[in-house]
Amino acid sequence: MNTKNIVSCFMIIALFCLASCEKELDAPVPFAFESGVLSTSKTEVVINAADPTGEAVTYSWSAFKNSLINNVLILTADGKTDTINNIAANTDNKLLKNSELNTILLDSLGLTVGVATDLKAVLVATNTTTGESATSNAVTIKVTPAAKGAAYAKLWIVGDATPSGWDVGNPREFTKDVDNDFQFKYYEVLTAGEFKIATALGSWGVDWLMPPTSHPSITSTAVTLIPGGNPDNKWLITNSGPYKILLNISPSPFIHIVPFTPYPTVSIVGDATAGGWDINKARVMTQDVNSPWIFIWTGALGSSGEGAFKFPLDYGNWGGSFIMAPVASSRLTTTKIVINEAGTSYPDNKFVVKPGEEGTYTITINQLYETISIVKQ
């Protein structure tokens, strides 16, 4: 075969391959948008009110994870329906805590305490780009709600150890835990002095929460309700400084009075930042010289990827402690943080920058008050 014929053969083969490739390129890519198979970690749930933050049930689904897919769980019982919307993007499961599920069962679905009832769930997945949606199979479990509530919805701290002193008409209020009706928190810089805890405002003759004996060690966890406040027992702060007080008024009450030492470093990591998810490129925040529990950072935040970020407390260590968002995909208007100590199982909740929110921000974190301020410059 001469050279001319060889070239012609190669040209014919090339044209044939090109035609084949064009056919492959023109062929439609098969794709079925679906929510996947929905399943549960349990088939029967009896709410444990004594463990409000413990797992009640976890719903899981088999569809692929994608940040453009919005998932919602629809729960139905006794003809009533509730929708769970706060499901993080890029996830394939939703854990419901005892307190969270119990609130849904009692407040949204109107179920009866102590009575087992069928709870049906389906997952609806929506493609946020096309608007296409798909619904999963239905799963049903037995649920038994528990009674919730505590003797007091509000409590106040009174004493010269506190900023408001002995003003019984205008004392500082405890913060009630959103997940536990029996639990209250008070975080503040205390001075050397005494304090006790009021169950109502404006009168010394109300019932008081006090130590069983006056001036116990602050390591003592004992607390008791004293009608009328007599005997007038009080706690004593001997060393001024920041403290975190945790009070529980369940049938097994306790109090933790803990001097607070802030983490010495805070940084910011995430694809909303220039360093991305490289923990060794996390941006370090600046510690306030007068209030060492306050940290400040100013820089650019973007919405690329997830547009997410969180705050390592042990620089360069994914296994360390973190400051997290209170719920998944928290917006920039969020004012609360959660300090997730190393080794705990708190969910990986992040703050998220949405498209159109990009820009330069100043972030201020207060470890003592567990607050955050994210302000666009």
Side-chain angles (χ1 to χ4, degrees):
M1 183 180 291
N2 60 35
T3 303
K4 185 175 180 181
N5 288 337
I6 293 173
V7 171
S8 298
C9 288
F10 274 118
M11 290 179 64
I12 291 171
I13 292 171
L15 289 171
F16 178 80
C17 292
L18 180 61
S20 300
C21 290
E22 287 177 347
K23 279 187 176 182
E24 289 184 10
L25 291 173
D26 289 339
V29 178
F31 174 71
F33 179 68
E34 59 181 28
S35 57
V37 177
L38 183 65
S39 61
T40 61
S41 61
K42 301 175 184 177
T43 58
E44 185 171 355
V45 175
V46 178
I47 297 296
N48 183 1
D51 183 21
T53 59
E55 178 196 7
V57 65
T58 298
Y59 288 93
S60 303
W61 46 95
S62 59
F64 61 88
K65 296 181 287 186
N66 191 303
S67 61
L68 296 178
I69 295 176
N70 180 56
N71 292 308
V72 298
L73 272 170
I74 300 176
L75 305 179
T76 304
D78 280 357
K80 293 184 179 180
T81 297
D82 189 52
T83 301
I84 299 175
N85 298 297
N86 61 334
I87 299 175
N90 266 336
T91 190
D92 57 5
N93 66 84
K94 174 62 177 177
L95 183 152
L96 294 178
K97 295 177 286 189
N98 280 305
S99 61
E100 185 178 7
L101 181 58
N102 202 40
T103 297
I104 292 171
L105 300 180
L106 295 177
D107 297 349
S108 300
L109 302 180
L111 302 188
T112 304
V113 171
V115 177
T117 306
D118 286 340
L119 178 68
K120 185 178 78 171
V122 295
L123 180 79
V124 178
T126 303
N127 186 324
T128 57
T129 301
T130 66
E132 183 182 9
S133 64
T135 302
S136 74
N137 58 298
V139 293
T140 300
I141 63 175
K142 286 281 186 184
V143 292
T144 304
K148 66 175 185 176
Y152 302 102
K154 294 185 176 183
L155 295 169
W156 296 265
I157 186 169
V158 181
D160 55 7
T162 75
S164 54
W166 289 109
D167 185 354
V168 73
N170 190 33
R172 298 297 178 93
E173 186 175 342
F174 275 78
T175 299
K176 189 175 184 179
D177 193 304
V178 295
D179 293 320
N180 190 338
D181 281 345
F182 299 103
Q183 207 138 279
F184 295 78
K185 301 174 182 178
Y186 181 74
Y187 301 158
E188 189 54 89
V189 177
L190 301 179
T191 58
E194 298 174 313
F195 73 88
K196 53 186 179 179
I197 299 167
T199 62
L201 288 174
S203 172
W204 293 108
V206 302
D207 296 340
W208 293 79
L209 289 160
M210 296 175 166
T213 59
S214 205
H215 296 178
S217 167
I218 64 167
T219 59
S220 172
T221 61
V223 59
T224 188
L225 182 70
I226 299 182
N230 187 20
D232 192 17
N233 297 336
K234 308 178 188 73
W235 285 279
L236 177 67
I237 298 295
T238 56
N239 297 315
S240 299
Y243 285 81
K244 291 193 173 185
I245 300 176
L246 175 65
L247 173 67
N248 184 293
I249 59 170
S250 69
S252 300
F254 62 82
I255 189 169
H256 293 156
I257 306 169
V258 182
F260 175 66
T261 301
Y263 282 87
T265 61
V266 181
S267 55
I268 179 172
V269 67
D271 55 8
T273 72
W277 287 111
D278 186 342
I279 196 154
N280 294 308
K281 293 182 181 178
R283 275 31 188 179
V284 177
M285 303 183 74
T286 301
Q287 188 175 33
D288 189 288
V289 293
N290 296 314
S291 302
W293 47 86
I294 295 177
F295 287 77
I296 301 172
W297 176 82
T298 298
L301 294 176
S303 61
S304 60
E306 290 182 87
F309 59 95
K310 55 184 178 179
F311 302 90
L313 294 169
D314 301 294
Y315 190 86
N317 180 15
W318 283 116
S321 300
F322 281 83
I323 286 175
M324 311 291 295
V327 297
S329 302
S330 288
R331 302 299 299 273
L332 302 184
T333 53
T334 301
T335 59
K336 293 293 185 179
I337 59 171
V338 174
I339 299 179
N340 184 21
E341 307 286 350
T344 59
S345 58
Y346 187 79
D348 189 22
N349 294 336
K350 308 177 188 76
F351 298 89
V352 172
V353 181
K354 297 292 186 180
E357 295 179 339
E358 304 89 343
T360 299
Y361 286 82
T362 293
I363 299 177
T364 304
I365 286 178
N366 191 312
Q367 290 187 44
L368 174 60
Y369 296 152
E370 297 185 0
T371 59
I372 187 169
S373 168
I374 307 173
V375 180
K376 195 169 188 178
Q377 302 303 295

